[in-house]
Amino acid sequence: MPAKRPPVPLSRERIIDAALHIADGQGLRRLTMRRLGDALQVEAMAIYHHLPRGKDALMDALAEHVTTVHAEPGESWQESARAWCRASRAALREHPGVLALALTKPPRGRAAIAIREQTDQLADAGLADPAGAVRALRAYVFGAVAVEVQQSGWADPSGDEDEPWRPPSRGGGTPEADTDFEHGLDALLTGLGARGARGGHRTG
């Protein structure tokens, strides 16, 4: 008889992964500490050792997870910005169950560090007002994904246990959504570039 595998230690990473699985598969309203504990096969109180503030800390952690995006700097600020926007859109679409958190929670922890990294990339590439550009890019990406959610008919259930949950699509968007996203991003980058770049760096 094979030896019984030891239980996997509980960790913040395991908690977040399990919470994302529930939110994406059943809806954010059905993500409770009790359900999360059942999924992890632990008492709900065990989760508080890793997230002392409980549900509030979990919501903050999920928002941080899906909004922490890194991208390698490109040869121009446009390339850097485009790579970051595409990566951000993909991260939000990968976990649509927590999109509402990403849209409403202010950036904290690793997410805030990633934003500073993006701002530094654009500043190093010579873009005027890189902080303002990052705010505009974030607003565009979040808004674009929200529109995709609305147009696709995705819906988080109202909380009624008898109401079926229809999981949204995950990963890449439709060809039409991809085209619309790129067209909008082109227009935004053109507008940001028209505001001027400093130090003689090329803007296109």
Side-chain angles (χ1 to χ4, degrees):
M1 183 176 179
K4 187 176 180 180
R5 292 182 179 180
V8 180
L10 189 62
S11 65
R12 181 184 176 90
E13 290 72 23
R14 279 194 65 211
I15 292 170
I16 292 174
D17 286 346
L20 288 170
H21 183 75
I22 294 172
D24 290 336
Q26 301 179 43
L28 188 60
R29 290 183 180 88
R30 297 185 182 179
L31 173 57
T32 65
M33 299 302 277
R34 182 174 179 178
R35 277 198 178 92
L36 183 56
D38 290 344
L40 292 164
Q41 298 183 324
V42 300
E43 293 292 332
M45 288 304 299
I47 299 171
Y48 287 79
H49 292 296
H50 299 272
L51 299 170
R53 291 189 295 112
K55 188 72 174 288
D56 288 342
L58 178 62
M59 297 297 102
D60 288 343
L62 294 179
E64 179 182 341
H65 181 86
V66 297
T67 57
T68 300
V69 176
H70 301 279
E72 292 297 321
E75 294 185 1
S76 66
W77 70 262
Q78 289 96 332
E79 290 182 10
S80 296
R82 193 180 300 278
W84 181 84
C85 287
R86 288 171 175 169
S88 182
R89 177 183 179 234
L92 292 173
R93 289 183 55 89
E94 180 65 20
H95 296 294
V98 295
L99 177 61
L101 295 176
L103 294 174
T104 57
K105 291 281 188 180
R108 294 189 177 95
R110 293 181 300 116
I113 292 173
I115 290 174
R116 289 198 294 271
E117 178 182 277
Q118 173 67 7
T119 303
D120 290 343
Q121 285 181 359
L122 300 187
D124 291 344
L127 180 65
D129 189 16
V134 169
R135 289 194 297 271
L137 292 167
R138 281 173 52 82
Y140 171 70
V141 173
F142 284 25
V145 175
V147 169
E148 287 186 61
V149 170
Q150 182 185 56
Q151 293 181 342
S152 67
W154 297 349
D156 199 351
S158 64
D160 186 344
E161 291 294 333
D162 295 327
E163 181 180 358
W165 161 248
R166 183 176 67 248
S169 302
R170 297 174 66 179
T174 65
E176 294 80 7
D178 292 343
T179 297
D180 290 346
F181 181 81
E182 293 296 330
H183 283 173
L185 183 55
D186 286 342
L188 178 55
L189 293 177
T190 298
L192 292 173
R195 296 171 63 181
R198 67 175 185 271
H201 292 266
R202 60 190 178 91
T203 60

